[in-house]
Amino acid sequence: MKKLLCLVLALTMLMSLALISPAAAEDWKFERKIEIVCPWGLGGGADSTIRPMATLLQQKLGVPVEVRNETGAGGVTGIEYTYKQPADGYTFMLGTQSLFIQDMLGNTSMNFKTEMECVDVLVHSINMLVGSKKQLDKYGIHNFTELKEYAAAHPYEVSVGMLTATGVDGMCFEIATEGLSLNMVQYGGGAEVNADLAGGHCDLAVGGYDDMSGLIESGDIVPLLVFCEHRLSIFPDCECTAEVGIDSFAGPWRGIFAKKGTPQGAIDALVAAIEECRKDASWQEFLHNAAYDERTVPAPGEELKAFVQKEYKDLHDYMVEQETLEKDYEDLK
């Protein structure tokens, strides 16, 4: 009887500890500087996304929130830097699904899928197929249907500025232009592509509105197709992939990642602060100006986990088709 009583008491204590854990996580308080690593350079879409959020988080949490740009190797340099930091709740990283590609290309020293966790998504942009105004006028192209007709009649005449053929942009473009013979031109960066589009040295490109908004507003480049389930409110006359029967809706999203082993209390506290900062008027204005409010983001928790898994799976399957997959995971096969 005494042994049974001791066992009951022990189980009761364990259950009590389990019930206390969530409360303890909620009680986490940041006591020093938080560092958010951005694997891309100053002024780019990723950097421009995290900096206004970092400012709001600093106000909310009462400690410095510093953005550290660790650039190079398509984001891998930032991954490696973050991975080398202690998982103590004071280092996080901004990431996109392009890092999943780097992982499956075998370019990371660790298994990114299992060693880094996306804990919240800040924005989910919408990819667009755009054309040079000068070149479209030259070809007599005014919409996506006319582009397909012209490209079919003039093989390899239409040029396409491509950053990463095996990336999200490349996947979107290939699905949308299946069967067409186009002249693919490799570029080193988005600014270079945009400059050539504006100057009429390149015909087409795929990218997010946030990276092209200035040239779209000036009329130098023209939207032809948005990779979305609906037409955008800012471009109501531009067709979307859903209405033309193209099963391609991928767009760049940017989320906060934490290294495996990071205290759950720190993750929960940061995510809670992010969710509060979303309500700030300055953040809402930022979303609207970059057209980020055209698409919702997954809620933290199970919805986010399912979203990330699907993103990995879609990119995995595309890389298998392209024969570029170097690292596989059992749950993606």
Side-chain angles (χ1 to χ4, degrees):
M1 179 64 71
K2 289 183 178 179
K3 289 183 178 180
L4 179 60
L5 180 60
C6 289
L7 179 60
V8 171
L9 289 172
L11 289 172
T12 301
M13 290 177 65
L14 287 173
M15 291 176 67
S16 298
L17 288 172
L19 291 172
I20 292 172
S21 295
E26 292 178 4
D27 290 340
W28 176 278
K29 181 175 177 58
F30 292 103
E31 298 178 345
R32 54 186 171 85
K33 179 186 73 176
I34 300 169
E35 187 172 77
I36 302 179
V37 179
C38 177
W40 298 279
L42 287 166
D47 181 75
S48 298
T49 297
I50 189 55
R51 288 190 179 275
M53 177 54 73
T55 298
L56 292 173
L57 286 173
Q58 182 166 299
Q59 297 168 359
K60 180 71 178 176
L61 296 173
V63 296
V65 179
E66 180 181 289
V67 176
R68 181 188 182 103
N69 297 87
E70 288 287 338
T71 64
V76 175
T77 300
I79 294 175
E80 299 296 345
Y81 172 84
T82 305
Y83 190 65
K84 291 176 182 177
Q85 306 311 306
D88 57 4
Y90 288 90
T91 302
F92 295 87
M93 185 187 74
L94 184 74
T96 75
Q97 67 266 59
S98 65
L99 301 184
F100 299 176
I101 296 172
Q102 295 290 356
D103 180 29
M104 291 185 285
L105 285 173
N107 292 335
T108 59
S109 66
M110 85 298 292
N111 291 329
F112 184 82
K113 188 175 190 295
T114 56
E115 293 299 321
M116 300 290 289
E117 176 191 4
C118 182
V119 299
D120 208 348
V121 171
L122 301 181
V123 298
H124 191 176
S125 186
I126 297 171
N127 264 344
M128 309 177 72
L129 172 64
V130 300
S132 165
K133 179 66 164 60
K134 290 182 179 180
Q135 293 302 95
L136 293 182
D137 287 347
K138 173 184 172 182
Y139 298 144
I141 296 172
H142 304 91
N143 53 51
F144 181 65
T145 300
E146 292 179 355
L147 167 64
K148 291 195 298 180
E149 292 173 351
Y150 186 91
H154 302 82
Y156 298 107
E157 181 180 336
V158 178
S159 63
V160 183
M162 188 60 61
L163 298 181
T164 308
T166 56
V168 176
D169 295 352
M171 178 176 69
C172 287
F173 186 81
E174 181 170 319
I175 294 173
T177 60
E178 184 177 3
L180 298 179
S181 298
L182 301 164
N183 179 22
M184 310 296 285
V185 181
Q186 190 67 40
Y187 281 84
E192 187 182 357
V193 177
N194 290 347
D196 274 8
L197 283 170
H201 308 298
C202 179
D203 299 333
L204 304 174
V206 171
Y209 171 76
D210 51 340
D211 292 327
M212 303 176 172
S213 59
L215 290 174
I216 291 175
E217 291 171 4
S218 69
D220 291 309
I221 60 178
V222 179
L224 293 171
L225 183 71
V226 294
F227 294 81
C228 190
E229 301 82 356
H230 56 82
R231 292 195 180 197
L232 303 188
S233 62
I234 52 175
F235 300 116
D237 296 330
C238 184
E239 295 174 307
C240 66
T241 49
E243 66 184 291
V244 297
I246 297 174
D247 186 19
S248 180
F249 310 106
W253 51 267
R254 301 179 182 115
I256 301 297
F257 286 74
K259 181 181 175 180
K260 184 177 181 180
T262 299
Q264 190 60 48
I267 293 174
D268 292 344
L270 184 69
V271 170
I274 290 172
E275 294 305 303
E276 282 297 313
C277 290
R278 289 189 195 279
K279 304 172 186 177
D280 190 273
S282 65
W283 181 255
Q284 292 294 320
E285 182 180 7
F286 164 74
L287 294 180
H288 181 72
N289 290 340
Y292 291 138
D293 55 355
E294 297 277 355
R295 176 176 272 166
T296 59
V297 297
E302 292 305 313
E303 184 179 336
L304 176 56
K305 289 180 181 179
F307 172 81
V308 169
Q309 180 69 9
K310 185 178 185 304
E311 290 287 292
Y312 246 113
K313 176 63 174 171
D314 288 347
L315 290 171
H316 167 275
D317 293 349
Y318 175 70
M319 293 175 71
V320 169
E321 292 176 4
Q322 298 295 307
E323 299 182 348
T324 58
L325 187 73
E326 292 293 334
K327 182 198 295 182
D328 208 345
Y329 292 95
E330 283 298 321
D331 61 344
L332 298 178
K333 294 180 179 178

